[in-house]
Amino acid sequence: MIINPLKIGGVTVKNNVFFAPLAGFSDASMRKICLKAGAGLAFTEMVSGKGLKYTPSASSELLFSYDDETVKAVQIFGSDVSVMKWVASSEHLKNFDIIDINMGCPVPKIYNNGEGSALLNDLDLASKIIKAVKSSGKAVTVKFRTGVTENKLVTRDFAVMCEQSGADLITVHGRTRNAYYQGEVNYTEIESAKNAVSIPVIANGGIFSKRDADVLMDRTGADGVMVARGALENPMIFSDILGIKPNFTIVDLIKEQTSLIKERYGNSRGAVIFRKQASYYLKGVKGSKRLKELIFASTSIDEVCSILTSALSKSSF
Ligand SMILES: Cc1cc2nc3c(=O)[nH]c(=O)nc-3n(C[C@H](O)[C@H](O)[C@H](O)COP(=O)(O)O)c2cc1C
């Protein structure tokens, strides 16, 4: 794929290969190593607008970022226009340059509340939310799916609505709400969004290798790609896609990540926080079942790091 810097409203990011928002995973440490591996931009996980307004202490940890994250992007979700407007201009988001609005989350708790992918059913409300967030004066992006069900795809209309409401970039996850995270990515739908708007369009879904990124770009004509689970399995995917050969390995990145988590949360709590991510790193590694058992039994992130790095040093990964 062609690697370019990308302009998002008044913000320029160094390249068009993004790390996705991932609840429970895209914390400051994970974003830091993905950016180091080459990602052009990384988003926080989805943060509730209502949560930030009414119980900010519960959500504030999700907003933590390191100073060297030079362009900071937060993702928020919600369906209450006045709350979203308030949050976007609030002190809570003052450090962020870009606000992404989640209009794709499929989980019942969110959908049944009229948030996330439920907004695919209500373009008027979605438009009001985008305008409300845009009134903050920050760059605003929207991440959405192709529709709720296969027989009612809304990608093109939704993309046009986003642009007309003031969005500076859209990310299209080429699956419906009903498909969750499985199945084919609908290239044609992403392409229809790209052809309908003049703001940048980022294609998302199913990138687990450089080749997947090349195919997604080629088939959709998108301006860039967003990698989610592929980066959880191996953050070095960003270097691969960019075609750069860094002077560090995944083992170095894991050492850096675990030391950041330890510094912030301590050895014991850090072990618990890092477990799920550690399992992703072990995907495809020989003996991973036993290694995961050891990791889940461990109460020290130092130990988890050493189990993981020794396994990955031995594997051909
Ligand atoms: C565990 C998990 C958590 C996710 N959390 C978020 C989230 O907070 N916000 C969001 O917009 N998408 C979220 N997603 C969706 C991803 O950002 C992405 O759109 C999806 O996984 C498709 O990309 P992939 O096929 O490269 O994984 C999540 C996905 C997974 C698997």
Side-chain angles (χ1 to χ4, degrees):
M1 66 176 275
I2 296 171
I3 308 296
N4 281 324
L6 212 56
K7 209 168 166 300
I8 308 172
V11 182
T12 301
V13 294
K14 64 180 180 181
N15 70 54
N16 49 347
V17 184
F18 295 176
F19 176 46
L22 284 153
F25 293 94
S26 55
D27 71 339
S29 71
M30 190 65 193
R31 297 198 304 278
K32 191 175 169 103
I33 62 165
C34 287
L35 290 165
K36 184 167 179 178
L41 184 64
F43 295 81
T44 70
E45 69 174 80
M46 56 191 257
V47 184
S48 163
K50 278 196 177 141
L52 284 174
K53 181 153 166 113
Y54 300 115
T55 49
S57 58
S59 309
S60 61
E61 186 57 24
L62 304 178
L63 300 178
F64 172 73
S65 64
Y66 293 104
D67 290 342
D68 57 359
E69 194 170 340
T70 49
V71 178
K72 297 186 200 291
V74 63
Q75 188 189 63
I76 56 172
F77 72 95
S79 60
D80 184 316
V81 178
S82 62
V83 169
M84 294 294 270
K85 184 179 171 88
W86 181 89
V87 166
S89 298
S90 72
E91 280 290 294
H92 299 299
L93 302 194
K94 72 170 189 302
N95 289 334
F96 290 93
D97 309 287
I98 298 173
I99 304 178
D100 186 66
I101 312 172
N102 181 315
M103 298 195 175
C105 181
V107 307
K109 200 173 81 180
I110 304 289
Y111 181 84
N112 294 334
N113 224 6
E115 301 170 324
S117 61
L119 290 160
L120 297 166
N121 296 318
D122 191 341
L123 273 68
D124 283 346
L125 178 58
S127 170
K128 287 189 183 115
I129 293 169
I130 297 168
K131 287 178 183 159
V133 173
K134 188 72 193 169
S135 70
S136 65
K138 299 202 179 200
V140 172
T141 62
V142 181
K143 181 166 177 279
F144 64 93
R145 289 179 179 246
T146 53
V148 172
T149 61
E150 281 300 323
N151 51 23
K152 192 168 180 283
L153 299 177
V154 297
T155 321
R156 189 182 185 287
D157 292 347
F158 208 84
V160 171
M161 177 279 295
C162 288
E163 180 170 49
Q164 287 175 352
S165 309
D168 297 298
L169 170 147
I170 53 173
T171 303
V172 185
H173 176 189
R175 299 186 178 98
T176 61
R177 183 224 169 199
N178 281 4
Y180 265 65
Y181 302 108
Q182 302 303 322
E184 296 295 303
V185 168
N186 191 329
Y187 300 129
T188 316
E189 282 295 300
I190 302 176
E191 186 184 24
S192 77
K194 171 61 195 162
N195 291 338
V197 297
S198 50
I199 52 173
V201 175
I202 301 296
N204 166 239
I207 299 180
F208 291 88
S209 66
K210 175 177 169 51
R211 196 186 128 69
D212 293 336
D214 290 340
V215 170
L216 189 58
M217 282 290 276
D218 187 50
R219 297 287 297 275
T220 62
D223 301 287
V225 293
M226 177 182 276
V227 187
R229 290 165 295 176
L232 297 184
E233 291 177 15
N234 182 9
M236 297 298 281
I237 190 172
F238 293 106
S239 313
D240 292 346
I241 294 173
L242 294 164
I244 52 176
K245 295 228 177 317
N247 57 357
F248 52 82
T249 63
I250 185 170
V251 167
D252 300 318
L253 290 182
I254 290 172
K255 284 182 182 159
E256 181 171 346
Q257 181 176 25
T258 50
S259 106
L260 291 169
I261 295 173
K262 181 179 168 186
E263 191 181 280
R264 193 157 173 82
Y265 303 103
N267 209 5
S268 156
R269 189 158 163 237
V272 176
I273 289 173
F274 184 63
R275 274 173 190 166
K276 282 187 302 162
Q277 178 56 54
S279 302
Y280 263 102
Y281 289 143
L282 286 172
K283 207 146 188 203
V285 171
K286 204 163 158 238
S288 63
K289 188 164 177 278
R290 174 78 191 122
L291 292 168
K292 277 185 206 166
E293 284 164 8
L294 290 174
I295 282 172
F296 274 75
S298 175
T299 53
S300 141
I301 194 166
D302 287 340
E303 189 186 30
V304 174
C305 177
S306 104
I307 296 169
L308 205 51
T309 54
S310 103
L312 290 174
S313 307
K314 280 183 218 134
S315 98
S316 58
F317 188 55

